[in-house]
């Protein structure tokens, strides 16, 4: 005698209402699904965190962040499918409805789709990664995360800025801390009567004696031209990206102090205004009348 197979919820053709009625009649049916959720959710987060930390140690923080989130999303999707199957739902009608819903949402959220595609371009190009300092327009900050829809920055006055990925792809982005050293460009001017050789020697001496200024590459001295009130100069020194701001402040202070001690004048624009009073029309002389001809 061939034994008759027991019909499982996955093999049944119960409607949604009938399935809910079966849960109400026998709540123990929900127990396996509840156990799967209670065990699966913490396990997914633990695996995602461990994978993110491992990838970050062996690669970059950005890749660890992306891979960790992909594991979380994929794990949650797989967990949801498992729970639905255990509860007796057929996935074929649900997938069909999800496809139609996805098409409708795609037309309704074209901006989000554009940001999503732009996010893949940003991650693939890697013009900046998590932890670097970037400039976007008048915004500058440290990259906290590169998500599917946006990039989050923390500004230096401790504000959180969210920039859509589409905006970043269309804008000019400056990665400030990509290279290990940076140049500090100082624009200044000296009076026309000053000796430029003496000014240049003083600037190079300041660069040589300032802690943190790199001797290789050498400082840069450029005579930019003849300004309205001064001889315009550009002086550049190199520093590591970690000490860039401190070295910049120190060099500016030392240049001001050195110029004061050496008596080198830093001029500023000046205007001379001459005021001339015009005679009142009533006080203007009147020409004598011309006599008639005889």
């Amino acid at each position: 005698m061939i034994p008759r197979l027991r019909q499982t919820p996955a093999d049944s053709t119960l409607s949604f209402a009938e399935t809910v009625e079966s849960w109400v009649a026998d709540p123990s049916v929900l127990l396996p699904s509840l156990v799967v959720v209670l065990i699966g959710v913490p396990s997914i987060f633990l695996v995602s965190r461990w994978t993110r930390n491992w990838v970050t140690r062996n690669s970059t923080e950005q890749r660890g962040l992306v891979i960790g989130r992909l594991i979380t999303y994929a794990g949650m999707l797989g967990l949801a499918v498992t729970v639905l199957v255990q509860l007796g739902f057929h996935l074929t009608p649900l997938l069909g409805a999800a496809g139609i819903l996805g098409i409708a949402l795609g037309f309704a959220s074209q901006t989000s789709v554009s940001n999503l595609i732009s996010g893949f371009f940003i991650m693939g190009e890697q013009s900046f990664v998590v932890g670097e300092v970037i400039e976007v327009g008048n915004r500058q900050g440290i990259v906290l995360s590169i998500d599917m829809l946006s990039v989050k920055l923390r500004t230096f006055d401790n504000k959180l800025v969210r920039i859509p990925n589409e905006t970043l792809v269309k804008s000019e982005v400056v990665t400030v801390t990509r290279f290990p050293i940076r140049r500090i460009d100082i624009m200044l001017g000296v009076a026309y009567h000053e000796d430029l050789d003496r000014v240049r020697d003083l600037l190079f001496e300041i660069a040589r004696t300032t802690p943190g200024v790199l001797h290789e590459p050498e400082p840069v001295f450029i005579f930019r031209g003849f300004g309205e009130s001064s001889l315009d100069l550009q002086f550049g020194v190199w520093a590591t990206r970690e000490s860039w701001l401190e070295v910049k402040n120190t060099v500016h202070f030392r240049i001001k102090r050195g110029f004061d001690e050496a008596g080198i004048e830093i001029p500023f624009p000046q205007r001379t205004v001459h005021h001339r009073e015009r005679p009142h029309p009533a006080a203007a002389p009147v020409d004598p009348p011309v006599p008639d001809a005889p």
Side-chain angles (χ1 to χ4, degrees), residues 9-244:
D11 299 326
S12 62
T13 57
L14 298 177
S15 65
F16 177 75
E18 292 172 341
T19 303
V20 174
E21 290 179 359
S22 66
W23 298 345
V24 175
D26 186 11
S28 62
V29 178
L30 301 175
L31 184 60
S33 301
L34 182 61
V35 172
V36 170
V37 172
L38 293 178
I39 296 177
V41 172
S43 300
I44 291 172
F45 282 107
L46 287 175
V47 173
S48 174
R49 180 178 299 179
W50 181 86
T51 306
R52 174 182 174 179
N53 294 335
W54 184 84
V55 174
T56 300
R57 288 194 303 268
N58 293 274
S59 183
T60 62
E61 186 177 357
Q62 177 184 356
R63 292 179 181 176
L65 181 65
V66 173
I67 293 176
R69 290 185 176 178
L70 289 178
I71 291 177
T72 301
Y73 297 152
M76 288 299 181
L77 179 60
L79 182 64
V81 171
T82 302
V83 171
L84 290 175
V85 171
Q86 285 188 347
L87 292 177
F89 291 101
H90 288 283
L91 297 182
T92 303
L94 292 177
L95 291 177
I100 297 175
L101 181 62
I103 295 175
L105 291 176
F107 283 106
S109 58
Q110 295 182 6
T111 302
S112 298
V113 174
S114 177
N115 286 326
L116 181 64
I117 297 175
S118 300
F120 285 111
F121 280 111
I122 292 175
M123 295 176 187
E125 188 180 27
Q126 288 191 354
S127 57
F128 58 87
V129 297
V130 175
E132 289 189 321
V133 178
I134 65 173
E135 291 181 359
V136 184
N138 59 349
R139 298 285 188 180
Q140 185 182 79
I142 303 173
V143 180
L144 294 181
S145 65
I146 302 175
D147 300 327
M148 294 298 179
L149 298 179
S150 63
V151 171
K152 295 180 178 62
L153 304 180
R154 187 184 70 184
T155 62
F156 292 106
D157 55 352
N158 209 28
K159 295 179 182 178
L160 178 65
V161 179
R162 177 186 178 274
I163 304 177
N165 290 334
E166 183 181 9
T167 302
L168 288 173
V169 171
K170 295 180 178 180
S171 304
E172 177 181 324
V173 180
V174 179
T175 305
V176 178
T177 56
R178 171 54 57 93
F179 302 113
I181 62 174
R182 293 179 59 190
R183 194 174 74 186
I184 303 168
D185 287 325
I186 303 171
M187 306 299 177
L188 48 89
V190 297
Y192 270 85
H193 62 266
E194 298 292 348
D195 184 0
L196 290 185
D197 290 332
R198 178 167 171 259
V199 173
R200 182 184 56 190
D201 293 341
L202 177 60
L203 291 175
F204 274 87
E205 178 64 20
I206 292 173
R208 187 183 64 82
T209 58
T210 300
V213 174
L214 301 179
H215 301 293
E216 182 65 33
E218 295 182 352
V220 177
F221 180 86
I222 301 175
F223 179 25
R224 298 184 61 89
F226 301 94
E228 293 184 1
S229 305
S230 64
L231 300 174
D232 296 335
L233 309 175
Q234 175 181 343
F235 183 61
V237 296
W238 295 88
T240 60
R241 61 187 178 191
E242 293 81 9
S243 61
W244 184 85

